[in-house]
Amino acid sequence: MLWLTWRQHRWQLIGVAVVVAVYCGYLVYAGLQAHQASQVLDACSSGSGAGLPSPSCESASSTVNDVHSSMINVVTFGNLLPLAVGMFWGAPLISRELEQGTYRLTFTQTVSRRRWLAVKLGILSGAAALLGTVTGAVVSWSQQGANEPFGDDRLFSQAGAVPAATWVFALLTGATLGLLRRTTAAIAVTLVALPLVFAGLLFLRPHYLPPAERLVGGSAMIQGEAPSNDPRGWLFSVSYLDRTGRELSPSAAGTVCADPANTFPSPQCLDRTGLRQRIVYHPTDRYPWFQLIEMGILLTAAGAMALVIRWRVSRHLV
Amino acid sequence: MTPAIESRDLGRRYRRTWALRGCTLALPEGRVIALVGPNGAGKSTLLNLAAGLLQPSEGTLRIFGEPLDDRPAALARISYMAQETALYPTFTVAELLTFGRRLNPGWDDRWARERLSRLRLPSDVPAGRLSGGQRAQVALVLALAKRPRLLLLDEPLASLDPVARHDVMALLMESVAEAGMTVVLSSHIISDLVDTCDWLVTINQGRVQVSGDIDELLATHRLLTGPREALDSLPPRLPVVAHTVNGRQASVLARIGAHRLAPVWTVNEVSLDELVLCYLRQPASSALPGPTSVR
C-alpha cells in the first residue's frame, strides 16, 4: 500500500513540495536580507555606528521596508498553497479511481477498502501536515519584527502551527469532493469551495472568544487612529466614555476636546475632560488559544469528512 | 458441497430501475460457468455483486458459504476482471506486477513473470499503450496470479479481435486446468463459451432463467417439429420453453423428460446456441426454480 500510494501520488507530492521549497526559500532569503538590514539600522540608531554615513542608514531603512512589504505580499499569496493540496492530492484520490474504473482493480485485491483509505489518507495527511508545519515555521520566522500574526488576516492562517491543520483540511475537502466522481469537476469545485471556507474563517475568527474590554486614562491610551494590531493585542474598536458613561466615537470625542492640532483626543485632553478610552480587543496572550481554536475547527471538520469518505468508500461507493 | 456462489432473492436497484431482481442461484464449485444474456440483462450487476464491488439492494449472497464483506480473507478468495480491463493506464506492466505482489499475500510472482514473458509482453510499456488484447492478457495474469478460488470475468473478450480472443481464452483454460478454480465468465457471444464452459446460466431482463449443467440441459431439451394442429395434443404439463408456428408447421423447444409424445412429432437434439437463443427470446420462460408449464 505504501508503494501504491507513492506510485500514484508521487508527481503531485513532488510538485507541491517543490512549490513549498521555492516559497520557503524566498522567505528565508528575504528574511535574512531584512535581518541584515535591520542590524545596520540598529547600529545607526544606537549611536555605536555614529561613524556610519547616514546614506547607508537610509538605504538600510528602505531595504527593510521594501523587503517587509514584498514578503507580506508573497505571504498573502501563500494562503493559496493549501488549494494545491486539495486540488491535486485530495480531489483525484477517489474520483480518478471511479472515473478510470480502476477501483474495480484495487478493491478486488487482498486489501480491505478501509485499509486502502486509511493508508492513503494517512500518508497524504502526514505529508500535508509536514509541509504545512514547514511553511508555518518559515513564515513565522521571516515575519519576526515585521508583522504580528495575531489580528493580521494575511498572516494568521500562515503562521505557527495553523497551516498544518489548514493543509490537512484542504486535503480532506478535496478528497470528499472527489466523491463527485469526475476528477475535473472535483478539482474545480475544490478550487471554489476552499477560498469560500477560508473567507468564512476570516469572518468567524474575531468571534472565537468574546473580546476583552479595558477602560484607560490618558497615560495608557492608544493615540491617533488605532491600528488593527498593537502591542496590546488584536484591537477591534476604540471609543470614549464621558463622565456620565455615554459612549462617544473617536471623532465625537475629538470634537469634545476641540484641540486644533489633533482630530483624535490627546492624553492631555483625556486628563483635562475626564474622558476615558474604551478599548475592545483580544489581548496578545490569547494568540495561542486562537491558534488552537482555529486548528480545532479545521481538524474536526477534516475528521468528519474522513468519516464521510470512509462510510462511502466502504459501502456505498457505486 | 458448498456452492461457490449462492444467492437468495438477490436484487440490485439503480435509483428506480432494477438491474437484477429475485436472483436465486447456487453455482457449484470447480465449474467453468457461462453467464449468458443480452446486453443490459444484469450479468455485470451479478458479477459485481459477487466480487463485492456492489452492495445488494435486497436478498443475500454467499461466496463459499460465507457472506461477502470487506475483510482480506474474503477478498483473497476472489479475483475479478472487468469489462474494459481497467488497469492503471500509467503503470507499466512491471509496475502492475508489483501492484499485485504488494497487495496480495497469496501472489504467485514466479508464475506471473513466467506467464508474461511467455506471452512476450513488454514489461516497461505503460498499460495505456498496450493493445486491447495485451491489456486483457495482463489483466487476466493479474487476476490469476492472485491464486483465487473464484475467478469472475465480466465480458473479458468483448472488445477483442478473434486472434486476441483465442489467446485470452487459451491462457484462461490452461490456467483453469492447472489450478482447478471456479470460473464465472459472462458474454453475450455464445460461441465464445461453447467449448470452454460446463455450466450455463442465462439471465434476462434482470432475472435468472436457466442454471444447469450444460450436458444435462442438452440431454433434457428437445426440439419438436410437427403439424400445427398437433400443438393441442402436447401433454398438458410438458415444460415448453418456446414455440413458433410457421405456416402449417409448428416447432417447439421443450424439456422433454419422461413425457411421451404423439408420433406426429419429430424429435431432434438441440444445440447450445439454439437452446440459449430460445430462452433469451422468451424472457418469461424459465427452467428455474422448477419446470413451468406453458398453456
Side-chain angles (χ1 to χ4, degrees):
Chain A
M1 271 310 299
L2 287 175
W3 174 85
L4 180 64
T5 309
W6 170 247
R7 174 61 187 81
Q8 285 189 287
H9 298 277
R10 57 188 178 184
W11 296 118
Q12 294 96 308
L13 284 164
I14 290 170
V16 174
V18 166
V19 172
V20 167
V22 169
Y23 177 67
C24 291
Y26 165 78
L27 287 179
V28 168
Y29 168 77
L32 288 174
Q33 242 187 347
H35 183 68
Q36 273 175 355
S38 43
Q39 275 181 332
V40 174
L41 267 187
D42 287 347
C44 291
S45 57
S46 70
S48 69
L52 280 172
S54 78
S56 85
C57 288
E58 269 171 34
S59 92
S61 156
S62 77
T63 304
V64 169
N65 287 334
D66 289 353
V67 170
H68 279 174
S69 75
S70 62
M71 268 201 294
I72 194 70
N73 286 336
V74 171
V75 167
T76 306
F77 278 104
N79 280 302
L80 299 177
L81 284 175
L83 296 189
V85 171
M87 287 159 62
F88 302 124
W89 297 7
L93 181 71
I94 290 159
S95 62
R96 187 160 291 154
E97 301 281 349
L98 291 173
E99 200 171 63
Q100 293 181 340
T102 43
Y103 72 94
R104 288 184 293 193
L105 182 66
T106 298
F107 292 168
T108 50
Q109 307 303 312
T110 317
V111 171
S112 71
R113 296 184 189 194
R114 287 185 175 190
R115 192 169 125 68
W116 176 85
L117 186 68
V119 173
K120 282 212 160 188
L121 282 183
I123 290 175
L124 294 177
S125 303
L130 180 72
L131 291 181
T133 307
V134 169
T135 55
V138 171
V139 167
S140 294
W141 173 82
S142 74
Q143 295 298 308
Q144 270 175 348
N147 298 291
E148 206 48 58
F150 194 38
D152 189 327
D153 288 341
R154 298 164 298 181
L155 208 49
F156 180 89
S157 53
Q158 283 244 70
V162 174
T166 313
W167 286 48
V168 171
F169 171 82
L171 171 76
L172 277 137
T173 306
T176 308
L177 291 168
L179 295 171
L180 290 172
R181 320 179 68 90
R182 292 266 160 253
T183 310
T184 40
I187 289 176
V189 179
T190 307
L191 178 62
V192 176
L194 280 176
L196 287 177
V197 173
F198 294 156
L201 280 176
L202 286 184
F203 285 102
L204 205 59
R205 199 174 291 145
H207 309 294
Y208 289 167
L209 292 174
E213 206 183 296
R214 246 174 98 186
L215 287 175
V216 292
S219 54
M221 76 176 289
I222 297 166
Q223 294 190 44
E225 200 169 10
S228 82
N229 57 14
D230 178 270
R232 289 175 192 80
W234 182 2
L235 299 188
F236 289 113
S237 72
V238 172
S239 58
Y240 297 86
L241 298 181
D242 65 15
R243 285 184 206 282
T244 62
R246 201 156 56 92
E247 188 168 2
L248 301 170
S249 70
S251 54
T255 323
V256 171
C257 289
D259 182 354
N262 292 306
T263 326
F264 299 111
S266 61
Q268 295 79 16
C269 166
L270 260 63
D271 293 340
R272 191 181 74 230
T273 57
L275 283 174
R276 281 163 306 157
Q277 191 177 43
R278 177 169 175 265
I279 309 169
V280 179
Y281 73 125
H282 288 303
T284 312
D285 59 9
R286 288 186 179 181
Y287 178 43
W289 289 108
F290 272 67
Q291 287 181 302
L292 281 177
I293 291 168
E294 181 142 333
M295 289 172 75
I297 292 172
L298 290 166
L299 292 177
T300 307
M305 288 190 284
L307 288 178
V308 168
I309 296 171
R310 194 177 83 147
W311 174 71
R312 281 292 296 272
V313 165
S314 61
R315 286 196 73 81
H316 298 279
L317 199 55
V318 277
Chain B
M1 200 166 74
T2 322
I5 301 177
E6 188 180 17
S7 71
R8 185 169 293 273
D9 293 325
L10 186 66
R12 167 70 194 201
R13 188 176 49 196
Y14 294 98
R15 298 180 201 278
R16 287 242 183 100
T17 50
W18 288 89
L20 187 74
R21 190 149 204 204
C23 172
T24 299
L25 266 182
L27 301 180
E29 188 167 1
R31 298 292 194 125
V32 180
I33 298 156
L35 185 57
V36 184
N39 288 329
K43 304 190 295 287
S44 287
T45 305
L46 180 59
L47 287 174
N48 276 278
L49 286 164
L53 289 169
L54 280 179
Q55 296 290 322
S57 307
E58 62 177 33
T60 56
L61 178 67
R62 289 174 166 266
I63 305 290
F64 301 114
E66 284 172 41
L68 260 182
D69 53 24
D70 190 30
R71 281 177 307 113
L75 291 163
R77 296 178 309 194
I78 306 170
S79 271
Y80 171 88
M81 181 182 152
Q83 209 152 0
E84 309 88 28
T85 53
L87 300 173
Y88 291 105
T90 60
F91 281 39
T92 64
V93 174
E95 283 172 329
L96 285 167
L97 284 194
T98 309
F99 168 86
R101 180 161 50 84
R102 299 245 178 188
L103 271 66
N104 296 288
W107 181 259
D108 193 339
D109 203 47
R110 224 178 56 188
W111 182 88
R113 278 175 200 289
E114 187 260 329
R115 203 38 66 125
L116 284 183
S117 68
R118 238 170 64 190
L119 294 168
R120 293 176 211 287
L121 286 167
S123 62
D124 54 350
V125 173
R129 293 225 303 269
L130 295 173
S131 73
Q134 288 175 320
R135 269 207 298 279
Q137 285 176 327
V138 173
L140 189 56
V141 168
L142 279 183
L144 287 165
K146 190 185 167 186
R147 293 287 169 228
R149 260 175 93 184
L150 173 63
L151 176 62
L152 304 166
L153 303 169
D154 188 4
E155 302 262 7
L157 311 170
S159 54
L160 304 185
D161 61 60
V163 177
R165 201 172 244 171
H166 175 266
D167 292 349
V168 170
M169 253 352 219
L171 170 62
L172 173 66
M173 292 332 290
E174 202 184 318
S175 316
V176 169
E178 280 170 24
M181 68 193 112
T182 310
V183 181
V184 184
L185 177 65
S186 80
S187 180
H188 57 270
I189 303 162
I190 301 147
S191 58
D192 284 345
L193 312 167
V194 173
D195 305 328
T196 47
C197 300
D198 52 18
W199 191 276
L200 175 74
V201 177
T202 67
I203 186 163
N204 206 352
Q205 298 184 356
R207 284 171 191 279
V208 174
Q209 288 181 294
V210 180
S211 173
D213 183 280
I214 289 180
D215 290 341
E216 214 175 290
L217 287 169
L218 293 179
T220 51
H221 285 76
R222 286 288 180 273
L223 197 63
L224 318 174
T225 36
R228 184 179 174 175
E229 308 83 65
L231 274 175
D232 297 329
S233 70
L234 283 172
R237 288 207 268 174
L238 179 74
V240 172
V241 177
H243 71 277
T244 49
V245 176
N246 195 354
R248 294 184 42 77
Q249 174 112 340
S251 50
V252 174
L253 181 76
R255 301 174 74 196
I256 193 132
H259 292 283
R260 316 201 101 230
L261 298 175
V264 289
W265 292 101
T266 319
V267 179
N268 282 310
E269 294 199 346
V270 66
S271 73
L272 187 62
D273 275 24
E274 288 170 313
L275 181 83
V276 168
L277 224 56
C278 279
Y279 271 103
L280 295 187
R281 282 200 183 128
Q282 301 287 321
S285 287
S286 100
L288 266 179
T292 45
S293 171
V294 182
R295 290 179 309 135

